[in-house]
């Protein structure tokens, strides 16, 4: 039984917290929160279940001094990456392995500038522990999954991975309306649409794919497109006024010589009919009627490999018919399920290329366990 702490029970961390509590091979021992509203509350209460005897605190001192084998670090870091790195370095120095989803580029540390990786590397070696960043995108759908599929190819000409999601049900309003810029006028450039930001966040994924395929990218091109709504509409999380941004498409293309060899394409909408000419998901799990028409978290991941044989894989996940919630549960579960492998790995910074196959070991139940309450997540 591995002892685990959780730092940052937000939109991903709360799901990971429930995953740790439910996992038969893990024991929750610490919980660090940033919100005073969560401090002093039992971890079970935060998840909508019976108390488990672990009380949330805003002070990480007890976690750092405690006996956790690993810590799931899921605190928001889009606008504070260096602060998050220092948080995680402090955990590593305390001799605890870290599994995180917070600083996305760190899925492949070899392609990240030393200012982010060296503090973590030194801390991990000093603490004799390992560090691993993962999730669903990045961390599985756009790196591990295409590499697994590449293992049945005879030859490969190109790989394209497309994320297509309706973010109308995503619970982090700051991420949707401030960082992504939905509902803002076109003349406003939000953080996620600023030049170079997508390359910084997802460029390492292309380099991880290249490393897994034993090729070297010559250069990477970035494009960002945004589309405004023709009419006003409401979503479960907010209002989109006519003339404000309702869809964004961010694309990275990795070239080998002059060939577009690796492509990451993110297509994000606030309503399914916005930007109809962009890639659309073909879904089998129909969204529930949430009272907002098509605004229901519809989406999937598509992997297309040109070569011999040509392949097309559509990876769809949903919880209570909500694809956005399903993706967040999958990403958080990827973190939780990776904990045993990370604890067993040699000290240092890890990527998916350094770990064995991460499976759902211990998760098969004869009777399905209680499912998360989607209202909490």
């Amino acid at each position: 039984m591995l002892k685990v702490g959780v730092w940052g029970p937000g939109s991903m961390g709360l799901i990971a917290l429930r995953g740790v509590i439910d996992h038969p091979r893990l024991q929750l021992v610490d919980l660090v929160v940033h919100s005073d509203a969560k401090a002093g509350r039992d971890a079970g209460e935060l998840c909508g279940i019976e108390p488990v005897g672990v009380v949330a605190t805003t002070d990480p001192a007890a976690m750092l001094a405690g006996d956790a084998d690993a810590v799931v670090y899921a605190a928001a870091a889009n606008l504070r990456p260096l602060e998050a790195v220092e948080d995680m370095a402090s955990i590593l120095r305390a001799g605890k392995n870290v599994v995180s989803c917070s600083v996305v580029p760190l899925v492949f540390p070899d392609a990240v500038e030393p200012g982010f990786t060296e503090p973590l590397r030194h801390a991990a070696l000093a603490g004799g522990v390992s560090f691993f960043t993962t999730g669903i995108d990045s961390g599985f759908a756009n790196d591990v999954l295409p590499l697994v599929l590449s293992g049945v190819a005879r030859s490969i000409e190109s790989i394209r991975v497309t994320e297509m999601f309706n973010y109308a049900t995503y619970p982090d309003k700051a991420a949707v309306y401030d960082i992504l810029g939905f509902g803002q006028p076109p003349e406003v450039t939000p953080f996620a649409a600023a030049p170079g930001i997508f390359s910084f966040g997802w460029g390492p994924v292309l380099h991880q794919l290249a490393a897994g395929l034993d090729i070297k990218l010559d250069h990477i091109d970035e494009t960002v497109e945004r589309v405004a709504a023709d009419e006003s509409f409401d979503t479960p999380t907010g209002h989109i006024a006519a003339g404000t941004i309702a869809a964004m498409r961010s694309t990275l293309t990795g070239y080998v010589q002059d060939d577009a060899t690796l492509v990451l394409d993110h297509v994000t909408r606030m309503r399914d009919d916005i930007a109809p000419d962009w890639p659309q998901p073909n879904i089998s799990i129909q969204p529930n009627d949430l009272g907002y028409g098509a605004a229901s978290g519809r989406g999937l991941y598509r992997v297309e490999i040109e070569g011999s044989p040509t392949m097309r894989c559509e990876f769809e996940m949903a919880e209570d018919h909500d694809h956005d919630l399903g993706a967040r549960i999958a990403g958080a579960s990827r973190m939780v399920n990776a904990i045993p492998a990370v604890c067993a790995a040699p000290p240092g910074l890890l990527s998916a290329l350094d770990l064995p196959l991460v499976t759902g070991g211990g998760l098969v139940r004869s009777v399905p366990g209680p499912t998360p309450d989607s209202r909490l997540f």
Side-chain angles (χ1 to χ4, degrees), residues 160-171:
R160 172 182 287 269
V161 186
T162 306
E163 177 193 74
M164 294 161 278
F165 267 89
N166 181 326
Y167 266 34
T169 59
Y170 194 77

Side-chain angles (χ1 to χ4, degrees), residues 147-161:
L147 286 175
V148 169
L149 294 174
S150 76
V152 296
R154 182 172 66 170
S155 64
I156 297 171
E157 298 171 9
S158 65
I159 298 178
R160 172 182 287 269
V161 186

Side-chain angles (χ1 to χ4, degrees), residues 182-263:
F182 291 122
Q184 294 189 21
E187 60 268 20
V188 174
T189 301
F191 175 79
I197 292 299
F198 193 54
S199 295
F200 169 76
W202 275 264
V205 176
L206 286 184
H207 287 291
Q208 179 163 260
L209 289 174
L213 297 169
D214 197 25
I215 59 175
K216 183 175 178 59
L217 298 178
D218 294 316
H219 67 281
I220 295 174
D221 284 347
E222 171 190 283
T223 61
V224 178
E225 304 170 74
R226 298 189 295 158
V227 171
D230 292 332
E231 61 182 12
S232 298
F233 61 92
D234 291 315
T235 79
T237 59
H239 180 72
I240 303 293
T244 64
I245 297 301
M248 182 167 72
R249 182 179 186 181
S250 304
T251 306
L252 291 184
T253 304
Y255 288 85
V256 177
Q257 296 183 358
D258 294 325
D259 296 328
T261 305
L262 303 175
V263 181

Side-chain angles (χ1 to χ4, degrees), residues 168-169 236 287-293 295-297 320-322:
T169 59
N288 280 338
D289 183 2
L290 303 180
Y292 294 93
S296 50
D320 193 22
H321 298 266
D322 187 329

Side-chain angles (χ1 to χ4, degrees), residues 66-367:
D67 60 353
D69 299 294
V71 172
V72 174
Y73 185 90
N78 287 325
L79 301 179
R80 47 179 293 278
L82 290 175
E83 291 91 336
V85 165
E86 180 50 41
D87 286 345
M88 294 185 288
S90 71
I91 301 169
L92 295 167
R93 284 194 296 268
K96 301 166 198 325
N97 298 278
V98 172
V99 176
S100 181
C101 63
S102 296
V103 183
V104 175
L106 292 170
V107 293
F108 192 58
D110 289 353
V112 181
E113 60 184 74
F116 288 89
T117 57
E118 287 309 295
L120 294 168
R121 192 184 312 278
H122 291 315
L125 295 177
V129 289
S130 295
F131 172 86
F132 180 55
T133 289
T134 188
I136 191 66
D137 182 348
S138 301
F140 183 79
N142 62 4
D143 40 23
V144 174
L145 180 58
L147 286 175
V148 169
L149 294 174
S150 76
V152 296
R154 182 172 66 170
S155 64
I156 297 171
E157 298 171 9
S158 65
I159 298 178
R160 172 182 287 269
V161 186
T162 306
E163 177 193 74
M164 294 161 278
F165 267 89
N166 181 326
Y167 266 34
T169 59
Y170 194 77
D172 188 340
K173 293 184 179 181
V176 173
Y177 296 98
D178 298 331
I179 294 174
L180 292 172
F182 291 122
Q184 294 189 21
E187 60 268 20
V188 174
T189 301
F191 175 79
I197 292 299
F198 193 54
S199 295
F200 169 76
W202 275 264
V205 176
L206 286 184
H207 287 291
Q208 179 163 260
L209 289 174
L213 297 169
D214 197 25
I215 59 175
K216 183 175 178 59
L217 298 178
D218 294 316
H219 67 281
I220 295 174
D221 284 347
E222 171 190 283
T223 61
V224 178
E225 304 170 74
R226 298 189 295 158
V227 171
D230 292 332
E231 61 182 12
S232 298
F233 61 92
D234 291 315
T235 79
T237 59
H239 180 72
I240 303 293
T244 64
I245 297 301
M248 182 167 72
R249 182 179 186 181
S250 304
T251 306
L252 291 184
T253 304
Y255 288 85
V256 177
Q257 296 183 358
D258 294 325
D259 296 328
T261 305
L262 303 175
V263 181
L264 297 183
D265 199 0
H266 278 198
V267 178
T268 307
R269 298 176 171 92
M270 292 299 285
R271 200 173 72 183
D272 293 337
D273 61 347
I274 306 295
D277 55 320
W278 292 354
Q280 294 276 8
N282 300 312
I283 62 172
S284 60
I285 304 171
Q286 294 301 315
N288 280 338
D289 183 2
L290 303 180
Y292 294 93
S296 50
R298 180 174 180 247
L300 53 71
Y301 295 92
R302 180 178 295 150
V303 180
E304 298 166 286
I305 300 180
E306 295 296 328
S308 176
T310 295
M311 306 179 211
R312 178 183 172 115
C313 175
E314 295 203 339
F315 176 39
E316 181 183 1
M317 64 232 90
E319 179 76 13
D320 193 22
H321 298 266
D322 187 329
H323 292 79
D324 168 72
L325 177 57
R328 286 186 287 117
I329 291 175
S333 299
R334 168 77 175 167
M335 285 194 290
V336 173
N337 294 334
I339 290 172
V342 173
C343 289
L349 305 190
L350 306 173
S351 77
L353 300 178
D354 302 308
L355 293 179
L357 179 66
V358 173
T359 72
L363 301 182
V364 177
R365 300 180 176 96
S366 57
V367 178

